[in-house]
Amino acid sequence: MATKKTAITRDKIVSMYMNYRLENNDKPKSVYQFAKTNGFEETEFYTFFGNLESVEKEIFKIFLEKTVELVQKDSNYETYDMKSKMLSFYFTFFEILSANRSYVVMCLKEHQNQLKNLMQLSSLRIGFKDYISAIISDEVRIKNEKFQDIQKKAIQETSWIQLLLTMKFWLDDESPAFEKTDIYIEKSVKVTFELMNTAPLDSLIDFGKFIFKEKIQNK
């Protein structure tokens, strides 16, 4: 009796891709080679992805999706204020990154030009900004409706810059169990919310962009 072929799914392709990169310390040369190596048809790949680069972007999107799924399983999550939700997200997200650290480090340190590495995070950026939009609380939101859209975009952008800076810190963290990253998360989230309550958001964005340029783009 012939063995039934295992169905190819998005998650299986992602898992195969991560394993390929870790085992070969390199990217597949083509979709054809990747599919042949893993025993499925090239046409099956295109059911889920347009090219290999889109798989890389999907991996970080999946990390985000898993994070949101996990934090929302907490029965008390919906009662948290925005700051507590952010902390819950951060600690869970970086636990997932740490569980996949070899792959993440390989990807995000692949090019000397950090902007090339950050291109893999485009889907993560979209998903994270949507998450931030969903958790903005009434206490944070400006009451004047005409400023609310501008304010939302400002909070999304500053939060994204903060996430990138935290990822940079985590990538360089050599402390046991990445305990320095935990401290960094607590302090940076606290400072961000203090600044949101005292500083104009446009000034906060300008400051965030300056730090981003100095700490990431110039490395």
Side-chain angles (χ1 to χ4, degrees), residues 98 170 173-183:
S98 296
W170 173 82
D173 187 3
E174 298 178 353
S175 63
F178 311 110
E179 56 193 25
K180 288 185 179 179
T181 297
D182 288 345
I183 296 170

Side-chain angles (χ1 to χ4, degrees), residues 68-80 84 88:
V68 175
E69 177 186 335
L70 288 172
V71 298
Q72 290 180 343
K73 283 184 177 180
D74 183 344
S75 59
N76 296 316
Y77 176 77
E78 291 303 325
T79 67
Y80 292 167
S84 297
S88 180

Side-chain angles (χ1 to χ4, degrees), residues 147-185:
F147 291 115
Q148 285 189 9
D149 189 51
I150 298 173
Q151 182 208 29
K152 182 180 76 172
K153 290 178 180 177
I155 292 173
Q156 287 174 319
E157 290 300 330
T158 53
S159 297
W160 172 242
I161 291 170
Q162 181 186 21
L163 181 63
L164 289 179
L165 291 173
T166 309
M167 290 178 73
K168 176 65 171 64
F169 188 93
W170 173 82
L171 285 169
D172 297 333
D173 187 3
E174 298 178 353
S175 63
F178 311 110
E179 56 193 25
K180 288 185 179 179
T181 297
D182 288 345
I183 296 170
Y184 181 94
I185 288 170

Side-chain angles (χ1 to χ4, degrees), residues 9-23:
T9 65
R10 178 196 73 156
D11 289 349
K12 284 182 180 178
I13 290 176
V14 164
S15 179
M16 290 173 182
Y17 185 85
M18 292 176 70
N19 288 336
Y20 183 99
R21 289 212 60 181
L22 289 169
E23 291 171 4

Side-chain angles (χ1 to χ4, degrees), residues 3-190:
T3 303
K4 187 177 179 181
K5 185 178 179 181
T6 303
I8 295 298
T9 65
R10 178 196 73 156
D11 289 349
K12 284 182 180 178
I13 290 176
V14 164
S15 179
M16 290 173 182
Y17 185 85
M18 292 176 70
N19 288 336
Y20 183 99
R21 289 212 60 181
L22 289 169
E23 291 171 4
N24 295 278
N25 197 31
D26 196 8
K27 296 181 180 181
K29 302 303 180 186
S30 66
V31 173
Y32 172 80
Q33 182 220 6
F34 173 66
K36 185 176 181 180
T37 300
N38 287 283
F40 66 94
E41 298 297 324
E42 182 177 3
T43 53
E44 294 179 278
F45 177 92
Y46 294 116
T47 302
F48 303 97
F49 300 102
N51 52 42
L52 293 171
E53 288 72 24
S54 61
V55 180
E56 295 177 345
K57 295 176 182 179
E58 188 73 9
I59 290 168
F60 287 95
K61 179 183 175 184
I62 289 173
F63 291 160
L64 172 75
E65 291 172 349
K66 186 64 176 177
T67 299
V68 175
E69 177 186 335
L70 288 172
V71 298
Q72 290 180 343
K73 283 184 177 180
D74 183 344
S75 59
N76 296 316
Y77 176 77
E78 291 303 325
T79 67
Y80 292 167
D81 59 17
M82 185 178 176
K83 179 181 175 182
S84 297
K85 286 181 177 178
M86 283 286 287
L87 284 170
S88 180
F89 174 92
Y90 264 88
F91 287 126
T92 305
F93 182 71
F94 281 92
E95 282 182 10
I96 291 174
L97 290 191
S98 296
N100 297 277
R101 184 173 174 88
S102 294
Y103 175 83
V104 176
V105 171
M106 178 186 293
C107 289
L108 297 185
K109 291 192 173 183
E110 181 179 1
H111 304 288
Q112 286 189 340
N113 184 338
Q114 286 294 323
L115 291 179
K116 288 185 178 180
N117 297 326
L118 294 177
M119 289 176 66
Q120 299 176 69
L121 305 182
S122 58
S123 294
L124 171 63
R125 181 176 183 270
I126 293 170
F128 180 71
K129 289 174 70 175
D130 287 343
Y131 172 76
I132 293 299
S133 177
I135 67 169
I136 296 176
S137 61
D138 290 338
E139 290 76 16
V140 174
R141 197 183 302 274
I142 293 174
K143 301 304 180 183
N144 191 329
E145 290 185 7
K146 71 178 182 179
F147 291 115
Q148 285 189 9
D149 189 51
I150 298 173
Q151 182 208 29
K152 182 180 76 172
K153 290 178 180 177
I155 292 173
Q156 287 174 319
E157 290 300 330
T158 53
S159 297
W160 172 242
I161 291 170
Q162 181 186 21
L163 181 63
L164 289 179
L165 291 173
T166 309
M167 290 178 73
K168 176 65 171 64
F169 188 93
W170 173 82
L171 285 169
D172 297 333
D173 187 3
E174 298 178 353
S175 63
F178 311 110
E179 56 193 25
K180 288 185 179 179
T181 297
D182 288 345
I183 296 170
Y184 181 94
I185 288 170
E186 290 183 0
K187 291 183 178 296
S188 64
V189 170
K190 178 182 178 182

